[in-house]
Amino acid sequence: MRADPLEHQPFRPQMVTEEHRRQFAEPTLETVLRPGDVLWVPRGWIHNGFATGEPSLHLSLSLPSLTPYLVAGELVRRLDGDERFRRDLPWGFGQDPIRRREAITEVIALLRNALDDLDPDAVADRVAQTWRGCFLEPARRPVDAVLGAPVTRDTPVRTVPEAVCAVDHLPDGRVRLHLADTALVLDPPAGEWIAARLADDTGAPWSAWDLPSEVSPVDAVALVAGLLRGGVVRRHRAG
């Protein structure tokens, strides 16, 4: 009914027109879900679930869409450190249309100037850290990790920052990587090196040779193999 709806734009029956009734007279899919079944409904598709003969319970989950609108909201939230956006609006804003128009014009000008001053690279890094917990890239390639060529010190890999929700620096010097369904704890100094590599986010290839010299060759290869199994790194293929 609406192309690419946003989270605050749910379907309402009054949105249906006669043209819609003619175009969508028959459902695209009509099915019965049984215990344990999962149905994925694409974004923007109207759906209706109901019990067929006896009481039933179902759980609906919605996922946020990664859109320019969402990015715009994040950009505005980055302006909370600017005191010009924290001051009160003039008294009478709600009743006086002239004051309201003047205030909105001023805010638009402030917003335009403030957005021009933002550093895109810095904002991109901060936004990526915020979103990685929600928009996880498929983290593992078990066939590639298990059946691929054995990992050696020369095996080129690249980090996959999108696979890591968060990084904790523990008091004992270890580093904990939070993945979608588990966590990896890395010993120093390799843990700090991997954390820095994730934050770097350049996609440049590296191998076990690049790990700190304090890490033994055997441990370096084992670490790369473990990161490969966990989806934190992937094999790098030139081209």
Side-chain angles (χ1 to χ4, degrees):
M1 298 302 180
R2 183 194 296 268
D4 298 331
L6 300 172
E7 286 74 16
H8 65 278
Q9 297 174 322
F11 168 75
R12 295 286 183 266
Q14 56 269 29
M15 296 167 58
V16 178
T17 65
E18 288 303 320
E19 176 61 27
H20 291 142
R21 296 183 190 279
R22 288 192 295 270
Q23 184 177 358
F24 304 105
E26 297 295 330
T28 301
L29 174 66
E30 188 171 0
T31 186
V32 177
L33 300 182
R34 293 175 173 82
D37 287 348
V38 176
L39 176 65
W40 174 67
V41 181
R43 177 184 175 194
W45 282 56
I46 307 304
H47 58 283
N48 182 27
F50 55 88
T52 56
E54 60 184 22
S56 67
L57 177 67
H58 73 276
L59 178 65
S60 296
L61 301 175
S62 62
L63 303 177
S65 300
L66 190 55
T67 62
Y69 184 86
L70 196 59
V71 174
E74 287 293 331
L75 292 177
V76 170
R77 277 187 282 275
R78 303 301 171 188
L79 302 177
D80 58 358
D82 190 330
E83 63 181 19
R84 295 174 299 175
F85 290 94
R86 301 201 306 269
R87 65 173 183 243
D88 292 335
L89 290 171
W91 186 259
F93 175 85
Q95 292 79 28
D96 188 334
I98 295 178
R99 288 188 179 182
R100 186 163 56 247
R101 189 179 303 108
E102 291 175 346
I104 291 176
T105 299
E106 180 183 0
V107 171
I108 291 174
L110 287 174
L111 183 60
R112 183 181 295 112
N113 293 333
L115 290 176
D116 285 341
D117 292 337
L118 286 178
D119 179 357
D121 292 334
V123 173
D125 291 341
R126 293 179 60 186
V127 169
Q129 291 294 334
T130 301
W131 286 348
R132 279 172 186 157
C134 300
F135 298 96
L136 287 174
E137 185 175 300
R140 299 178 180 87
R141 293 181 176 177
V143 173
D144 185 39
V146 177
L147 301 181
V151 175
T152 69
R153 291 194 76 183
D154 296 310
T155 301
V157 296
R158 68 175 181 85
T159 50
V160 184
E162 295 81 4
V164 179
C165 305
V167 177
D168 291 336
H169 298 268
L170 304 179
D172 60 3
R174 295 183 299 166
V175 171
R176 180 166 53 213
L177 308 180
H178 294 270
L179 310 183
D181 56 358
T182 187
L184 299 178
V185 179
L186 309 180
D187 293 327
E192 289 292 343
W193 191 92
I194 295 297
R197 195 81 191 191
L198 287 166
D200 185 32
D201 200 11
T202 65
W206 57 277
S207 70
W209 280 105
D210 297 302
L211 289 166
S213 58
E214 296 90 337
V215 183
S216 72
V218 173
D219 289 343
V221 171
L223 174 60
V224 173
L227 294 176
L228 184 64
R229 289 192 298 272
V232 180
V233 302
R234 288 182 179 165
R235 296 178 190 268
H236 173 76
R237 294 178 174 83

